[in-house]
Amino acid sequence: MERERGKVVVYVTTLGIVRDTYERCLRIRKILWTLLVRFEERDVFMARDTQIQLLDRLHARGVTVPHVFLEGQYLGDAEQIERLNECGELRRLLQPYRRAASASTCDTCGGFRLLPCTVCNGSKKSVHRNDWTLEFVALKCSSCDESGLVKCQDCAEYKDVNGNHNG
C-alpha cells in the first residue's frame, strides 16, 4: 500500500479475554520494542474498519492477530515473526525502521492511538437543532468510528530522526 511506504504496520488486539491471542500480540510488540523499531499499531478490537481492512489484506474470513506488514507487504504472523527474530533475519529486515531514541508513550492518548470523539464525546450521536422547530435532532456523528473513537493526531504521524513528519 502506498500509504505504508517507510512503515512497519502491526495488527494486534488490546482485548485480553482470549489470553493466548493477547499474549502473542504482546510478544510481537516486545520483539519490535526490543529491536527499537518504530511501528504503527492497528487494534482490531477497537475499530471494525481495522478488522475489515485486515480481512481484505489477508483474503481471510476470520480475524486472527498479530500480523506484521513491512512497507505494505505481508511479513508474517506471530510464529513467522518469532522465527525471523530467532535467526536474526528480523533485525536485518527492520534495521531501516529503527528509532533514534527509546520508546516513549504518547502524552495525549497514553499509547492507545485512539481517543473519544471531541464532537460527540464518544456517544456516536451528534445533536443538532432543527431550524424550523425548537426540537433537537440526534444524528449519527460523522467525525468518529462505530466505537465513538477518533485517531490520536499526535500518534497519526510519527517524526523521523530529523523531526520531519512522515505519514
Side-chain angles (χ1 to χ4, degrees), residues 46-108:
M46 296 298 277
R48 178 77 176 138
D49 292 345
T50 304
Q51 292 174 18
I52 292 168
Q53 182 185 73
L54 181 59
L55 289 173
D56 288 346
R57 292 183 86 169
L58 296 175
H59 307 292
R61 292 179 180 230
V63 174
T64 61
V65 286
H67 290 284
V68 179
F69 289 82
L70 179 61
E71 302 232 8
Q73 299 297 313
Y74 186 64
L75 190 59
D77 63 6
E79 289 180 14
Q80 292 164 314
I81 299 302
E82 288 174 334
R83 267 197 312 272
L84 287 170
N85 187 49
E86 288 173 14
C87 72
E89 183 67 12
L90 189 63
R91 180 180 300 275
R92 187 190 66 74
L93 287 169
L94 299 179
Q95 183 66 32
Y97 307 94
R98 289 187 57 147
R99 292 187 299 267
S102 62
S104 62
T105 304
C106 175
D107 291 333
T108 306

